[in-house]
Every structure is written in C-alpha cells, then in structure tokens.
Amino acid sequence: MVQLLPFSLGAHPGLYGPFVILAFPDPTPDLVWLENPKNSVYLEAPDDVENYREVFDHLRACALSPAETRTRIAQIIKELHR
C-alpha cells in the first residue's frame, strides 16, 4: 500500500529518517532496522519496537488515503507532462 504524506502536514516524525519494522513469527521477536549513510542499526528492545510502531501508525493516520494518494500521483504525472 502506498500513501503520501501531504506537505501541509509540516514537520512529522517521518522526517527523522527511514525505518523498517521487521515482523517475524513467534518466537522470534520483531525488530526495527535503521539505515544511515555510515551504517545500519537494529533495535531489538520491545520498547523501541513499540515506539516505532506508534510512529508508523501516526504517519499512516496523517497520510492521504490510498485512493487520495492515487489521485494525487495522477495529478503530479499530469503536471510533469505539461
């Protein structure tokens, strides 16, 4: 699923950088992967993983819906072809 965050949202937690939540079947615990220009970091502490889940849920709630995202992408494509 693709959802755009509108510029009108302003500053938001997604600006801190990309992250990936890796979910595994039990008994393997979930973890968060952070990438930066020098290295990658894996966060395994349950509190850290939960914090990133909350950030992700917040970003998803603030983003355009999938239908609105498709419409906006179509508008951007039209604007680029002018």
Side-chain angles (χ1 to χ4, degrees):
M1 178 183 325
V2 175
Q3 290 180 266
L4 294 177
L5 287 166
F7 285 117
S8 61
L9 181 61
H12 56 76
L15 295 174
Y16 293 118
F19 62 92
V20 177
I21 300 171
L22 300 166
F24 301 101
D26 286 335
T28 305
D30 297 345
L31 55 91
V32 173
W33 175 52
L34 304 173
E35 183 179 15
N36 62 58
K38 290 189 175 192
N39 61 17
S40 295
V41 177
Y42 292 93
L43 304 177
E44 300 178 27
D47 288 346
D48 291 333
V49 174
E50 182 57 29
N51 182 27
Y52 276 90
R53 282 191 204 286
E54 289 174 6
V55 169
F56 182 76
D57 290 342
H58 174 76
L59 293 171
R60 194 168 44 177
C62 293
L64 300 176
S65 72
E68 292 169 324
T69 295
R70 282 190 298 276
T71 300
R72 183 66 186 121
I73 290 172
Q75 290 171 340
I76 292 169
I77 290 169
K78 285 180 184 176
E79 291 171 8
L80 291 173
H81 285 100
R82 287 185 190 171

